[in-house]
Every structure is written in C-alpha cells, then in structure tokens.
Amino acid sequence: MKTRVKWIWPVIALSAMTAVALLTPRTGLRQVVRADSALPAARLGPCLAARLGLGPWKGNPQVAGNKGAGLRAELADKGASRHLSLLTEGGRPLSSGESEAVQACLRGG
C-alpha cells in the first residue's frame, strides 16, 4: 500500500536551506551601533579615532577603520547632528572597552 505524503518534500527542502544558512559563516561588515550626536565632527571624529585606534578619516561621509580589530566607523553630517555608524566584521558585538570609548566620545569626552 502506497502512502501519499505531499508535505514531506517542502519540509526536507526547508530543513536543508536552514542547515546551509546556519553553517555558512557570517562574513563582511555589519552595523552594530547607530547613534546621533550634536557634537561637531571636528571633535567627535578625533575622539573616536584616538580611543578606538582608527586610521585617518576619509571621504564624505567620513570613514575610518581599524583592520586589525575588524572595525569601521562612519560619520555623516545630518543637519545639526552627526550620524555615527560602527560596523564590525561578522557583526561581532563591541567589547566593553570599545563600548565605553564610544559612549565617552558621544558624551563629549
């Protein structure tokens, strides 16, 4: 006697796609911090560079990075405020030291 189970093939296909997605390493830069600040870019940029070990700021929006730490910062003017984005390799969370450095710079320190 033959049992007809039509729903099994979509379940198998979905399971295979899920396994591939979970086993594929996450690479590339992913945004982990997004913040706005009223501080001028001339003050915020150097503070971030000094505390996070970033290279020189380039372009518009301004971009600086630290390849050794897998970190990139983007700083853009948005009218009266500055928009800050921090991206890390594979979306790793910021370390506590990196997080404290960013918070200090955003407070004006």
Side-chain angles (χ1 to χ4, degrees):
M1 187 161 105
K2 199 177 204 182
T3 305
R4 296 183 83 191
V5 182
K6 292 182 180 181
W7 56 268
I8 195 73
W9 294 112
V11 170
I12 291 172
L14 184 59
S15 298
M17 290 186 322
T18 302
V20 169
L22 291 174
L23 295 175
T24 303
R26 293 181 178 246
T27 58
L29 293 171
R30 300 191 188 280
Q31 184 176 10
V32 293
V33 173
R34 181 177 178 181
D36 290 316
S37 174
L39 293 174
R43 185 170 173 192
L44 186 57
C47 178
L48 290 167
R51 291 179 182 251
L52 296 175
L54 302 175
W57 292 92
K58 298 176 185 176
N60 189 15
Q62 296 180 348
V63 177
N66 180 340
K67 289 191 184 235
L71 178 67
R72 184 171 97 180
E74 297 176 354
L75 189 58
D77 281 326
K78 299 288 184 187
S81 68
R82 261 46 59 217
H83 176 75
L84 171 67
S85 294
L86 290 177
L87 301 95
T88 60
E89 187 66 38
R92 74 161 172 84
L94 293 180
S95 68
S96 60
E98 290 170 333
S99 182
E100 290 171 8
V102 171
Q103 290 174 6
C105 288
L106 290 173
R107 285 192 302 262

